[in-house]
Amino acid sequence: MSMTKAERQQLKKLPIQGYCDWKNIPYSKSTPGELRMVDHDSLVVRTQKNLFVWNSTGIRGDLVDFIHYYELGKNDSDSKGEAIRHQLAYARYVKGADIDVDKLYQNNQPAYQFDYKKVYRTKETNVAKDYLVHQRQLDPKFVDRLIQRGEVAQGSKYHENDKLHQNPVIFPWKDVNGKIVGADRQGTETDFEHYAKRGTSKKIARGSDVTTGYNLSFGKGDQTLVLFESPIDLLSYAQQNHQELIQNNATLLSVSGTDAKRGLHYLNAAITEKNAQFKHLIVAFDNDRAGFQAADFYERHPLQNPNTQQAITVERQIPLKGKDWNEQLKAGVTGKQSMTMADSTKRLDALEELAAQESQANPFDVKDNHVSAIPAKRTEPTSSSKKSVKRTKAQRRKENAQKNKAIMAEAVAKVKQYHDDPKALKELLDFTATGLNYSARNSMLIHLQREDATLVKGYNQWHANGIQVNKGEKGIKIYGAPVDLKTIIKPNGEKVFWRDATPEQQALTNNNQLEVKTIKHYPIETVFDVKQTNATQKQLPKLLPNRPIDLATDNSPIHLDNAYKALLNYAKQMKVPVYDQGADEILAKERMSWQGQAKGAFRQSKSDPTNKHILLRSDLTPTDKIQTLAHEVAHAKLHGLQSKNNWSTEIKETQAELSSYVVTKSLGIEPGEQSIRYIAGWSDKLKKLAGADTGKILNQALQASTDVTSYLSKNLNLGVKRQVTTKKFQSNDQLAVVQESAQNTNQMTNTMRR
């Protein structure tokens, strides 16, 4: 029986917010008229329009779409019949309960208040204990204590996805005053059909106060705060570090996800309401890209305890084994790796810079003439085939992957333009020098797809700045950081991602009849240039990367000296001493180059690779010192004996010049009128390098410069605090040793000079 128009309109009016309340799907109210899902805060519900947008995926729609994509985790190629059945069930509930949705949800009624009494629990604890002890491998005595103290409870059986599930584990949340204000519900049975991401159900109780989370205190619990992504990780860490936590008066807090700000909310409440003396924060999120991204919040937001007027030190900790603390516990390994937040940010940068597509070879290692710029022909299906052929989720994902790879291949095929067009090469170098924190490979991909790109960000990054991408804009494809995907290995060796496997294949895997591995997948992501957004002229200054110093506008001796010292610090980190006094006599004997007498050189002993150094002339101007040192640092980074690249001297010099240009340009040192002539020379050299891979040469040079500019940006913003002194030859004996090694080609690598 078909519905009337009035009935369809009533269904359309059913509020997403009301459905969330009915199904206990947790959300927070970020701004008036907006709700954000707790599990995925990039999903925003616009309550006035009763529509949602899931920014991290680009998915948007109404209640049926919300149920289909978010609650059920379905793909867009799947039928929405199940989602419609859920919508109709909610409609029956609304009608039976005589709820006026217009009054309840359109007039901003108060949100549901959490009540722990309404979280159904049982007196029995056997299911919860069995799950924690046998599946999560927590100590039985530890679990007994948690249950006795009410820190863990067993929930009642529950219906979800039209199925009765066995008893879950309940983790009650307490605020800083000890009042229970929320709870996690952790499923205790494996069900990959409905929970493909984790294998078990995870929910936050309706109305939970998301400024706190599941927490345990040791000792006084008011000096050290440790943050986790889940209660299970928190308990695993607590079991392995119990005595240390007591000594440190630590409180452990789970934020049930990666919302690092919840740790800050808890910290502020404890300091304000309980006069807590917190002086140390440990971010113990997972050892993966998402964990490091979340932890980076505390690198960007220094903390201070107003009660003590002292800075709160922040430390990053990750397990020695596995992705999270429970994986380490189950592996029987103890211990932890600690790092500063600066080192954590470097680790995040390294994860972000991984840019290879799955097990594919680096596309920039492929010869230009082996890459086709012609995309595959598209065959339009006939009207009959459109109706009869239904593509599966896996087929649609495969098609999208092929489209993205074709875009990448077309972009890579254009790499040769850099040795044909000096202007194109200069634009690439200038774009890289802006310091947008993309890897060298992604900088090339951005520029190859959109030559006029200047300021590039992802959709969510623009949205976070209050800026919208214009409707209908075509995004720029780049490589994202890797993710681990559970993969079934069929008997014939074929790989099937778990998300694409049939229920039969998953069942065979669960019975150990099919092999399962975790394989790294390198997703292709989409970014947009500022010209593709509604950004205004007033907003641009705040969006652009802050240049620590700009030697184009402020050529002061202090800034020049700071830039030079920062480069010296970078060389020191590479364990390459710099001699800028007493080396003139050696450099005077170098072969003259087209630029005249050599200004500097990098050397490394073949017999002792640790014996390496940079020589600089003592009569260089401050800007010349910076440019020359940047050039020699590039040689040290790219062309030392540890490098596997057996490039010719001409290629090495070209790479060092390209890298030096980007570094000095980022500092505001402009080559001036000679710029085009220099770049034309490099472009001409690239053109003449028969058989060499332009993409790989450029990629290495730009990556070296990106590493250096990232270091300079950070350290010059902080200020070069420690005094750095260059080395000079203190005795004639020392000078003689270096002179002798310079003359002995068997002892030293070929001199890299500028």
Side-chain angles (χ1 to χ4, degrees), residues 58-251:
I59 295 171
R60 60 186 67 219
D62 57 13
L63 175 58
V64 172
D65 294 313
F66 176 85
I67 298 170
H68 180 72
Y69 294 110
Y70 182 71
E71 186 187 25
L72 301 179
K74 301 291 186 179
N75 184 271
D76 57 355
S77 65
D78 297 325
S79 167
K80 293 183 181 177
E82 186 178 356
I84 293 172
R85 286 194 291 274
H86 282 254
Q87 179 199 36
L88 292 173
Y90 176 52
R92 289 192 293 271
Y93 161 74
V94 169
K95 185 176 180 179
D98 195 23
I99 296 173
D100 188 337
V101 295
D102 288 329
K103 291 182 179 179
L104 182 60
Y105 290 104
Q106 296 301 320
N107 295 325
N108 296 317
Q109 294 293 321
Y112 176 84
Q113 295 298 311
F114 173 83
D115 186 350
Y116 193 45
K117 294 178 182 178
K118 295 182 180 180
V119 178
Y120 297 117
R121 288 155 284 151
T122 67
K123 293 181 179 179
E124 296 80 13
T125 59
N126 57 313
V127 177
K129 184 174 179 179
D130 180 75
Y131 173 78
L132 293 173
V133 173
H134 294 106
Q135 291 195 47
R136 294 300 188 168
Q137 296 186 18
L138 292 169
D139 182 83
K141 293 181 180 179
F142 181 35
V143 173
D144 284 339
R145 287 197 298 272
L146 291 170
I147 292 173
Q148 290 166 8
R149 288 161 43 184
E151 305 287 1
V152 167
Q154 179 173 300
S156 302
K157 293 181 179 180
Y158 62 98
H159 277 88
E160 193 169 86
N161 296 317
D162 298 326
K163 178 182 176 182
L164 180 64
H165 294 265
Q166 70 181 23
N167 308 79
V169 182
I170 304 297
F171 297 98
W173 301 358
K174 295 179 182 177
D175 63 14
V176 295
N177 296 306
K179 180 183 177 182
I180 298 179
V181 294
D184 286 291
R185 189 193 76 190
Q186 169 67 60
T188 55
E189 58 187 333
T190 302
D191 182 1
F192 280 105
E193 181 180 354
H194 291 103
Y195 313 112
K197 182 178 179 182
R198 303 183 181 95
T200 57
S201 170
K202 281 189 178 182
K203 291 283 186 180
I204 294 174
R206 179 185 177 192
S208 293
D209 180 359
V210 293
T211 62
T212 184
Y214 182 67
N215 58 84
L216 294 178
S217 293
F218 297 82
K220 294 182 179 179
D222 67 345
Q223 294 186 0
T224 301
L225 180 65
V226 193
L227 304 181
F228 301 89
E229 292 187 27
S230 73
I232 296 295
D233 285 333
L234 183 155
L235 295 177
S236 301
Y237 183 96
Q239 180 171 305
Q240 292 194 329
N241 301 281
H242 182 258
Q243 292 302 319
E244 181 183 340
L245 294 172
I246 294 175
Q247 294 171 4
N248 293 336
N249 293 307
T251 290

Side-chain angles (χ1 to χ4, degrees), residues 526-546:
T526 305
V527 293
F528 300 89
D529 184 58
V530 66
K531 290 181 283 295
Q532 298 176 279
T533 72
N534 65 354
T536 64
Q537 199 68 31
K538 290 183 179 179
Q539 290 172 308
L540 288 179
K542 295 180 180 179
L543 299 171
L544 292 166
N546 288 324

Side-chain angles (χ1 to χ4, degrees), residues 160-431:
E160 193 169 86
N161 296 317
D162 298 326
K163 178 182 176 182
L164 180 64
H165 294 265
Q166 70 181 23
N167 308 79
V169 182
I170 304 297
F171 297 98
W173 301 358
K174 295 179 182 177
D175 63 14
V176 295
N177 296 306
K179 180 183 177 182
I180 298 179
V181 294
D184 286 291
R185 189 193 76 190
Q186 169 67 60
T188 55
E189 58 187 333
T190 302
D191 182 1
F192 280 105
E193 181 180 354
H194 291 103
Y195 313 112
K197 182 178 179 182
R198 303 183 181 95
T200 57
S201 170
K202 281 189 178 182
K203 291 283 186 180
I204 294 174
R206 179 185 177 192
S208 293
D209 180 359
V210 293
T211 62
T212 184
Y214 182 67
N215 58 84
L216 294 178
S217 293
F218 297 82
K220 294 182 179 179
D222 67 345
Q223 294 186 0
T224 301
L225 180 65
V226 193
L227 304 181
F228 301 89
E229 292 187 27
S230 73
I232 296 295
D233 285 333
L234 183 155
L235 295 177
S236 301
Y237 183 96
Q239 180 171 305
Q240 292 194 329
N241 301 281
H242 182 258
Q243 292 302 319
E244 181 183 340
L245 294 172
I246 294 175
Q247 294 171 4
N248 293 336
N249 293 307
T251 290
L252 277 54
L253 172 70
S254 164
V255 301
S256 300
T258 54
D259 184 5
K261 294 187 292 295
R262 285 173 65 179
L264 183 59
H265 292 317
Y266 186 91
L267 199 65
N268 288 335
I271 291 172
T272 303
E273 299 179 35
K274 305 296 290 184
N275 197 33
Q277 305 298 301
F278 282 112
K279 57 185 179 181
H280 193 45
L281 176 72
I282 297 173
V283 187
F285 291 162
D286 290 356
N287 182 18
D288 59 11
R289 180 178 172 230
F292 278 94
Q293 284 177 328
D296 198 51
F297 173 83
Y298 291 102
E299 168 70 356
R300 294 178 282 110
H301 296 82
L303 303 177
Q304 185 179 41
N305 189 327
N307 292 337
T308 62
Q309 297 300 312
Q310 297 293 319
I312 297 176
T313 61
V314 184
E315 175 188 349
R316 178 80 166 104
Q317 288 185 1
I318 55 175
L320 297 179
K321 178 76 173 179
K323 179 175 73 73
D324 57 45
W325 300 100
N326 189 243
E327 284 189 11
Q328 172 165 291
L329 179 70
K330 290 192 287 188
V333 177
T334 58
K336 51 188 177 287
Q337 179 183 346
S338 300
M339 63 185 77
T340 65
M341 293 311 298
D343 288 336
S344 177
T345 299
K346 290 178 182 177
R347 181 77 66 88
L348 173 60
D349 290 342
L351 291 172
E352 298 282 8
E353 287 171 6
L354 288 176
Q357 179 65 17
E358 207 166 300
S359 57
Q360 260 190 330
N362 181 344
F364 291 105
D365 287 343
V366 181
K367 300 292 187 293
D368 292 333
N369 58 354
H370 289 171
V371 181
S372 171
I374 304 174
K377 291 183 178 180
R378 295 179 58 184
T379 304
E380 293 295 332
T382 62
S383 57
S384 60
S385 66
K386 286 181 181 178
K387 293 178 182 178
S388 60
V389 178
K390 181 182 177 181
R391 292 171 296 171
T392 65
K393 183 193 303 183
Q395 287 171 332
R396 288 183 62 86
R397 189 177 288 117
K398 186 175 181 180
E399 288 172 9
N400 288 333
Q402 288 173 340
K403 289 177 185 177
N404 286 337
K405 288 178 181 178
I407 293 170
M408 294 296 202
E410 186 175 0
V412 172
K414 297 177 183 177
V415 169
K416 61 182 179 181
Q417 78 182 44
Y418 295 129
H419 62 55
D420 292 332
D421 185 359
K423 182 182 177 184
L425 181 58
K426 183 178 185 300
E427 288 174 352
L428 171 65
L429 299 177
D430 290 346
F431 175 74

